[in-house]
Amino acid sequence: MRIVSLLPSATEILFAIGAGDDVVGVTFECDHPPEARARRIVSTSTLPDDLSPAGIDRLVSERMAAGEDLYHLDRGALAGLAADLVVTQDLCAVCAVDVSTVRDALDHLACSAEVLTVDPHTLPEVLDSILVIGAATGTRERAERLVGRLSDRLAAVRARVAAEEPVPALVLEWTDPPFAPGHWVPDMVEAAGGRCVLGTSGARSYRTDWEAVADAGAAVVVCAPCGFGLDESARLAGQVADRLPPGVPLWAVDANASFARPGPRLVDGVEALAGVLHPAAAGPPDPE
């Protein structure tokens, strides 16, 4: 089988369930595992480099309002791959090439590849999506074993914090403007022994303001801006630290690795959150 992955999370899943050797095409964001970088890049961003968070938000909003694409699908690169399966999503226009663009490109190329759309909205649905991808790639048993291991780790976290009082927590999915979390992130907070003060499981993240952040009553704030790693998250957290109520701890995390991408490493994020919220019960978080 020849697989093109148009999602960093799907790329991670494919490699984790033993289908990595079948992956022939990826996006410019597919950086985990490192060997994914050796595959042909078929999708790139249309946004300029070096924009500030406010600049990214403004340009994304303008382009979405105008119906313009945020990603470029390289039909030439796709044409030479003779894909049997293309894995994409229809969950978020900011996250990947629109599925209709993918289908149009395949029709244009007279390619009969199957298009698998995975759209998990919650943490349980993320685990289910691993099984769906496993079934589509002939790796169902390995997918089931992976989901079993991830489920065991989640259960272990829940057991460690079960006796603790839930900590009011806010995960910022963007910093300028601030965005309240959505989709699977509130589930992560709950699993780690927290109470998500803004945002709803399964719903979209949404734009808010610093007054609402201050009034939410968070005892801990976690900066996890979508699309950024730990160093950039720490830098952006530093820029908004003075917007939080005095004395509220502010943590920065690797959003790309463990929060924004709906793949196996979300469980790493839950374990890290448990360490932030309940260090005595769960152990302090790994500085990495």
Side-chain angles (χ1 to χ4, degrees):
M1 177 175 284
R2 297 175 64 81
I3 305 170
V4 171
S5 171
L6 299 179
L7 294 168
S9 57
T11 300
E12 294 185 23
I13 292 170
L14 287 162
F15 276 86
I17 62 178
D21 288 345
D22 294 334
V23 175
V24 294
V26 296
T27 79
F28 75 106
E29 294 178 306
C30 293
D31 54 10
H32 184 85
E35 51 263 41
R37 304 301 291 169
R39 305 313 195 256
R40 183 179 299 181
I41 294 176
V42 300
S43 171
T44 56
S45 173
T46 63
L47 296 179
D49 295 331
D50 300 324
L51 289 174
S52 67
I56 293 173
D57 177 74
R58 181 173 59 253
L59 194 54
V60 166
S61 297
E62 290 173 354
R63 291 193 177 180
M64 291 185 67
E68 299 175 358
D69 292 330
L70 299 177
Y71 291 87
H72 170 67
L73 182 63
D74 188 338
R75 291 187 176 187
L78 189 61
L81 293 178
D84 302 302
L85 176 68
V86 178
V87 185
T88 187
Q89 58 94 48
D90 200 21
L91 175 69
C92 174
V94 182
C95 295
V97 178
D98 187 273
V99 66
S100 64
T101 301
V102 177
R103 296 187 188 279
D104 289 346
L106 294 176
D107 289 343
H108 175 77
L109 298 170
C111 178
S112 59
E114 177 188 355
V115 178
L116 175 62
T117 303
V118 286
D119 294 322
H121 288 73
T122 65
L123 187 55
E125 289 177 1
V126 172
L127 299 182
D128 288 342
S129 73
I130 297 174
L131 300 177
V132 170
I133 293 174
T137 57
T139 57
R140 176 80 187 202
E141 289 187 4
R142 291 192 61 166
E144 289 175 345
R145 290 197 295 271
L146 173 60
V147 170
R149 293 194 298 272
L150 296 174
S151 298
D152 288 346
R153 288 169 59 191
L154 287 171
V157 173
R158 291 181 185 276
R160 286 196 292 271
V161 302
E164 305 298 320
E165 184 71 21
V167 176
L170 170 62
V171 178
L172 288 175
E173 290 198 11
W174 201 248
T175 57
D176 190 8
F179 266 68
H183 300 125
W184 47 84
V185 173
D187 295 334
M188 296 173 65
V189 174
E190 183 274 332
R195 177 173 60 82
C196 198
V197 297
L198 292 178
T200 303
S201 170
R204 293 185 180 275
S205 59
Y206 61 89
R207 186 192 308 263
T208 185
D209 56 46
W210 291 110
E211 182 178 2
V213 169
D215 291 343
V220 175
V221 175
V222 177
C223 182
C226 185
F228 291 98
L230 180 57
D231 290 344
E232 281 296 290
S233 291
R235 183 179 66 82
L236 295 176
Q239 293 178 357
V240 300
D242 62 351
R243 310 299 297 269
L244 301 177
V248 175
L250 174 61
W251 290 77
V253 296
D254 187 336
N256 273 352
S258 308
F259 286 82
R261 298 176 179 178
R265 293 190 293 168
L266 290 186
V267 177
D268 296 349
V270 172
E271 291 169 340
L273 276 175
V276 168
L277 301 178
H278 300 288
D286 185 337
E288 296 298 324

